[in-house]
């Protein structure tokens, strides 16, 4: 399928970055957002087209611009995806490919089926990129460079739709990974959702212990690194945790067992047990090669 | 007290960095280590003097060089501090100030008392600097720049010894903080030891869930940031956890309660509860101002 126009609904850090990179590689980008300020900013930067529109506009005549789009990306918080698709459905052309960038997939893939317009293929998607920051102001053209970008087709998904998206993903600099929605949710529960739950709980534990004494003045890289993501936006995480509940609860149990083992090793003052627990973690690695520097280019 | 020579026993990332900065501000630095390679490297860089010596040397005549030192820093893992002080004690001059850089203080301060030579003052110390890396190869002259450096004098500590160390600390670029050994151990249990325990348990939880599937290929900043310190050297952490056991266990309990609250909020699919837990963490902050970039200059 030949793609010339891409629509991006939700111009946050993810949608904004997709808009930027697609524009940079020669596509026309139609922007859709619920905030006029964001739409103006993106249009004035030339990132999105002049007929980009506000999804909450009372006058839906402008929505017809969406008919131009060959591919439509929904880049809103997970629980907004279905309402947004429902609203845009009448204006998506037959033969277009619809996808999302939500952080969980099973619930999204199952529920979008209910509101998907005829003749439009849907493929669940999730770029593993970004940080604790949110909003168009943090979008960047290289956000997806060398990052994994997951697609979760089902048995019903037309293969051409997957191929179309894979080609677009490659243009963002990302590497496409194909897996089932269930497999996706299990993996992100481990490498993304559990770390978030842990970081948030850690901050709240230190806060409780601190009781206003100013502990954070003495906090170093150890505290800062482990709690950096705790400043992520609450709203996004509510949606994620509610739509990946079972996998997240499973990971919390696994974590609690591991913590319990280390706690018992400390309680029994067992140097060999503590050492072997630390060695086990050290060998599994932290997803980076030794000596790799900081990845945050801000 | 006028200081011209400083001795540093243990030329790891902390001791090596102290040696570098003290040398750079005009002191003569005598180096002591158990590894000849480290001693050669430091001497060839001109960081430590030519009569620096190996503490395990069968011939202790070289130890006499220590008599020159006005201040002696013990920069070994916590449980090595007393054996090292015991060995060096006969060679520390009367009137010298002895200090350490161990990550826990109560056990150190209480046990050094037993082996402290007459006429030598001891002040427990702990520079809140460094990272998960260890060894002389990671030492740097600016490691302590703008970092807190804690001193834990007791009622028996001569005030002049504290003043001498405060002046030295300021020369490293660090900010001295005075508190009791108990207060120190409580704070570091919260902002340093708990994060380490959590990071290690998190890595082991993901490892257990992964079971060789290659989850880490999809890990992003969230996982990397929260687990970075899990690659810290096991030996150092065995000593720390064993010598701050009670405070660490207290913090693990507080953390478990916080995690339990979040778990219940997820179990009951309560968006308001999840949101308020996340908001509480976000407001307490992560010890950095918004938008602060990465602190790792490697």
């Amino acid at each position: 399928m030949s793609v010339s126009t891409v629509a991006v609904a939700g111009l946050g850090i993810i949608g904004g970055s997709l808009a930027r990179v697609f524009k940079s590689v020669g596509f026309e980008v139609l922007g859709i957002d619920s905030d006029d300020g964001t739409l103006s900013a993106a249009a004035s930067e030339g990132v999105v087209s002049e007929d980009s529109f506000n999804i909450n506009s009372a006058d839906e005549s402008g929505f017809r611009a969406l008919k131009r789009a060959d591919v439509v990306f929904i880049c809103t918080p997970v629980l907004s995806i279905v309402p947004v698709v429902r609203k845009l459905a009448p204006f998506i052309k037959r033969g277009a490919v619809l996808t999302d960038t939500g952080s969980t997939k099973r619930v999204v893939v199952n529920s979008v089926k209910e509101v998907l317009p005829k003749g439009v293929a849907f493929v669940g998607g999730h770029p593993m990129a970004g940080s604790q920051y949110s909003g168009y102001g943090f979008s960047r053209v290289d956000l997806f460079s060398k990052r994994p970008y997951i697609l979760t087709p089902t048995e019903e998904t037309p293969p051409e739709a997957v191929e179309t998206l894979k080609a677009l993903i490659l243009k963002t600099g990302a590497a496409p990974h194909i897996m089932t929605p269930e497999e996706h949710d299990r993996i992100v529960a481990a490498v993304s959702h559990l770390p978030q739950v842990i970081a948030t709980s850690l901050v709240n534990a230190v806060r409780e212990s601190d009781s206003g004494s100013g502990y954070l003045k003495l906090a170093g890289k150890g505290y800062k690194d482990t709690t950096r993501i705790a400043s992520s936006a609450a709203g996004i995480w509510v949606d994620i945790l509610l739509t990946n509940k079972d996998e997240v609860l499973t990971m919390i149990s696994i974590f609690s067992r591991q913590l319990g083992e280390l706690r018992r090793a400390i309680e029994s003052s067992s140097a060999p047990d503590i050492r072997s627990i630390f060695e086990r973690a050290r060998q599994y690695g932290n997803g980076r090669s030794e000596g790799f520097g900081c990845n945050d280019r801000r």
Side-chain angles (χ1 to χ4, degrees), chain A residues 6 11 17 21 26 39 100 123 149 170 183 189 203 219 243 245-246 248 269 273:
Chain A
V6 172
L11 297 170
S17 299
V21 70
L39 285 161
D100 75 306
V123 188
Y149 194 129
L170 288 168
E183 206 177 343
V203 171
T243 56
K245 176 171 152 172
D246 292 343
V248 172
S269 297
D273 289 351

Side-chain angles (χ1 to χ4, degrees), chain A residues 187-248:
Chain A
I187 296 177
V188 294
V191 305
S192 174
H193 305 166
L194 178 66
Q196 182 68 46
V197 163
I198 294 317
T200 297
S201 302
L202 180 54
V203 171
N204 284 334
V206 176
R207 175 183 175 277
E208 179 183 330
S209 173
D210 186 359
S211 307
S213 304
Y215 280 16
L216 297 190
K217 284 197 309 289
L218 301 178
K221 276 185 102 280
Y223 177 83
K224 290 176 185 177
D225 284 349
T226 46
T227 59
R228 181 166 295 115
I229 56 174
S231 58
S232 300
I236 288 169
W237 281 96
V238 166
D239 284 18
I240 291 172
L241 297 174
L242 290 182
T243 56
N244 201 20
K245 176 171 152 172
D246 292 343
E247 298 292 353
V248 172

Side-chain angles (χ1 to χ4, degrees), chain A residues 22-294:
Chain A
F22 287 142
K23 179 70 184 170
S24 78
V25 298
F27 295 120
E28 203 206 314
V29 180
L30 177 75
I32 305 165
D33 201 85
S34 57
D35 179 68
D36 283 331
T38 301
L39 285 161
S40 305
S44 68
E45 286 185 87
V47 172
V48 300
S49 61
E50 288 298 322
D51 56 354
S52 296
F53 59 87
N54 189 316
I55 199 173
N56 291 329
S57 179
D59 174 12
E60 292 191 356
S61 59
F63 290 25
R64 282 193 306 258
L66 188 51
K67 284 279 176 192
R68 275 207 319 281
D70 305 301
V71 182
V72 181
F73 286 77
I74 311 295
C75 305
T76 63
V78 167
L79 291 175
S80 303
I81 293 172
V82 161
V84 166
V85 172
R86 190 181 280 122
K87 196 153 197 192
L88 298 179
F91 306 94
I92 304 174
K93 76 182 184 195
R94 289 188 72 105
V97 175
L98 181 67
T99 185
D100 75 306
T101 57
S103 299
T104 65
K105 295 270 58 76
R106 190 180 51 82
V107 166
V108 171
V109 168
N110 285 344
S111 52
V112 164
K113 267 195 291 206
E114 314 296 318
V115 296
L116 192 62
K118 251 201 187 70
V120 174
F122 176 76
V123 188
H126 179 203
M128 307 281 292
S131 63
Q132 70 275 20
Y133 301 113
S134 52
Y136 182 72
F138 288 98
S139 64
R140 42 196 298 168
V141 72
D142 62 349
L143 196 80
F144 310 100
S145 177
K146 299 186 172 61
R147 298 301 306 149
Y149 194 129
I150 301 175
L151 291 176
T152 59
T154 65
E155 288 153 356
E156 296 142 17
T157 312
E160 321 79 76
V162 180
E163 291 310 305
T164 296
L165 287 173
K166 276 167 76 174
L168 286 183
I169 285 169
L170 288 168
K171 286 191 189 294
T172 69
H177 289 254
I178 312 291
M179 63 186 71
T180 66
E182 291 74 20
E183 206 177 343
H184 166 276
D185 287 0
R186 190 166 45 246
I187 296 177
V188 294
V191 305
S192 174
H193 305 166
L194 178 66
Q196 182 68 46
V197 163
I198 294 317
T200 297
S201 302
L202 180 54
V203 171
N204 284 334
V206 176
R207 175 183 175 277
E208 179 183 330
S209 173
D210 186 359
S211 307
S213 304
Y215 280 16
L216 297 190
K217 284 197 309 289
L218 301 178
K221 276 185 102 280
Y223 177 83
K224 290 176 185 177
D225 284 349
T226 46
T227 59
R228 181 166 295 115
I229 56 174
S231 58
S232 300
I236 288 169
W237 281 96
V238 166
D239 284 18
I240 291 172
L241 297 174
L242 290 182
T243 56
N244 201 20
K245 176 171 152 172
D246 292 343
E247 298 292 353
V248 172
L249 290 173
T250 296
M251 285 312 305
I252 291 176
S253 294
I254 292 176
F255 172 87
S256 296
R257 273 205 309 277
Q258 292 289 341
L259 177 60
E261 186 186 342
L262 181 48
R263 180 179 45 78
R264 282 188 301 279
I266 297 169
E267 266 166 356
S268 47
S269 297
S270 168
D273 289 351
I274 295 173
R275 186 181 300 270
S276 93
I277 288 168
F278 270 71
E279 278 301 316
R280 188 195 314 157
R282 195 168 148 112
Q283 279 164 31
Y284 180 62
N286 57 2
R288 73 201 312 119
S289 39
E290 279 298 292
F292 185 92
C294 176

